[in-house]
Amino acid sequence: MLEILYQDDGLVAIHKPSGLLVHRSALDAHEERFAVQLLRDQLGRRVHPVHRLDKGTSGVLLFALDKDSARALSRCFEFGEVEKRYTAIVRGHPAEQGRIDHALSRRHDPAERLPAGASDAPQQAVTHYRRLATAELPYRVDRYPSSRYALLELAPLTGRRHQIRRHLKHIAHPIIGDSTFGKGQHNRLFQQLFGSQRLLLACFSMAFTHPHTGVRVSIQAAPAADFTSVAHALGWDKAVASLSAGPDS
C-alpha cells in the first residue's frame, strides 16, 4: 500500500519508496512493479504521472487524476513553478551553501518519444544547496586515512534529468549509493557499515499553486526510514529534523 500524502478531486501525491520505478522503462525491463500501476490499483482509477523521481530516489511524487489536471500540472513543472526540496548524503564536506550553475546535456529514456528536431545541446541547470551536517569516519576509502560525508538540502531551480545527481558529481561531492554518478568505494562502505542499499536522495517537500483553485499547496514527506537510519547512525537526527526550516538560497 502506497502512502498517500495529499489528495483532492484532481491531484494525488504519494511517498514513493526507494527502489520503485514511476512507470515502465526499457532501462529496467525486468521490473514488474511501478508506482503508476500500484496507485491505479489502490485508488481504482486511472492516474497520470506529471513528473518523475529516479528509481532510487524516495519522497513526494505527484499524479493527476484526469487529463486536464495532467496538462496543467505538466505546464507548472515545465515553467519552473513547482518548488521542490531534496535532501542527500554526499561524499566530502561541501561549502556551507552554494549555487551550482552547470548546463547539462539531455538524457533520454530509450523508450521516450522525442519531438522532431529535438536537440541534445546542453540545457541550463541550476541547483541551490546548503550544508546541514557533517561527519568524519575513521575508514580509509581513497588516499586519506578517514572519510568525510555531509547532509545537504537541495533546491533545483530547473528540472533536468538526474540534475541533482549530476550536479553533485560535477562539484566532486557525489551522492552515496549512486551507482551511476557516485563512487563505488564509498557506496560499499555505507553498505558494510549501515546496511544501506539505496541512493541516499529524497524529495521531502513540494509546493505549487493549484492549477484549478489557485490555492497554494504544500506537501511534505519526512525522509523514509532507510534514509533516516543512516542519518541517525551519523548523529544527524537534529539536522534531519531541521529540514522543514527551508533552504537558505
Side-chain angles (χ1 to χ4, degrees), residues 96-118:
E96 290 189 3
Q97 60 183 12
R99 170 187 169 99
I100 307 169
D101 189 344
H102 175 66
L104 297 171
S105 59
R106 294 184 63 124
R107 294 176 66 90
H108 306 296
D109 186 309
E112 185 178 1
R113 293 183 180 179
L114 301 179

Side-chain angles (χ1 to χ4, degrees), residues 51-219:
H51 71 116
R52 69 175 72 202
L53 291 178
D54 292 341
K55 180 180 179 180
T57 306
S58 60
V60 182
L61 181 62
L62 186 64
F63 294 84
L65 296 175
D66 58 76
K67 291 184 177 180
D68 287 342
S69 296
R71 282 191 289 267
L73 284 169
S74 294
R75 285 195 294 269
C76 289
F77 280 96
E78 181 181 355
F79 292 108
E81 298 170 356
V82 180
E83 296 177 10
K84 296 166 288 183
R85 289 160 58 201
Y86 292 75
T87 186
I89 297 176
V90 305
R91 181 183 73 85
H93 288 178
E96 290 189 3
Q97 60 183 12
R99 170 187 169 99
I100 307 169
D101 189 344
H102 175 66
L104 297 171
S105 59
R106 294 184 63 124
R107 294 176 66 90
H108 306 296
D109 186 309
E112 185 178 1
R113 293 183 180 179
L114 301 179
S119 172
D120 286 332
Q123 300 173 294
Q124 182 188 24
V126 178
T127 303
H128 288 174
Y129 72 86
R130 65 169 179 149
R131 195 182 71 202
L132 301 177
T134 60
E136 187 164 352
L137 301 179
Y139 298 96
R140 179 185 293 272
V141 175
D142 292 323
R143 61 185 182 273
Y144 303 107
S146 60
S147 300
R148 293 179 170 187
Y149 302 97
L151 179 71
L152 301 185
E153 178 180 359
L154 303 121
L157 303 189
T158 48
R160 310 308 176 200
R161 182 171 291 188
H162 308 318
Q163 175 174 316
I164 292 175
R165 296 165 61 190
R166 296 166 74 187
H167 268 177
L168 289 172
K169 177 186 177 182
H170 174 71
I171 64 170
H173 296 290
I175 301 173
I176 302 302
D178 192 334
S179 59
T180 302
F181 304 106
K183 293 281 190 177
Q185 310 100 301
H186 294 277
N187 297 346
R188 287 189 290 272
L189 180 65
F190 272 62
Q191 291 169 8
Q192 294 164 7
L193 293 179
F194 311 122
S196 180
Q197 302 291 331
R198 60 161 291 175
L199 172 70
L200 290 169
L201 175 65
C203 177
F204 68 90
S205 177
M206 185 177 293
F208 55 92
T209 299
H210 197 292
H212 299 320
T213 67
V215 174
R216 191 67 174 168
V217 177
S218 180
I219 304 169

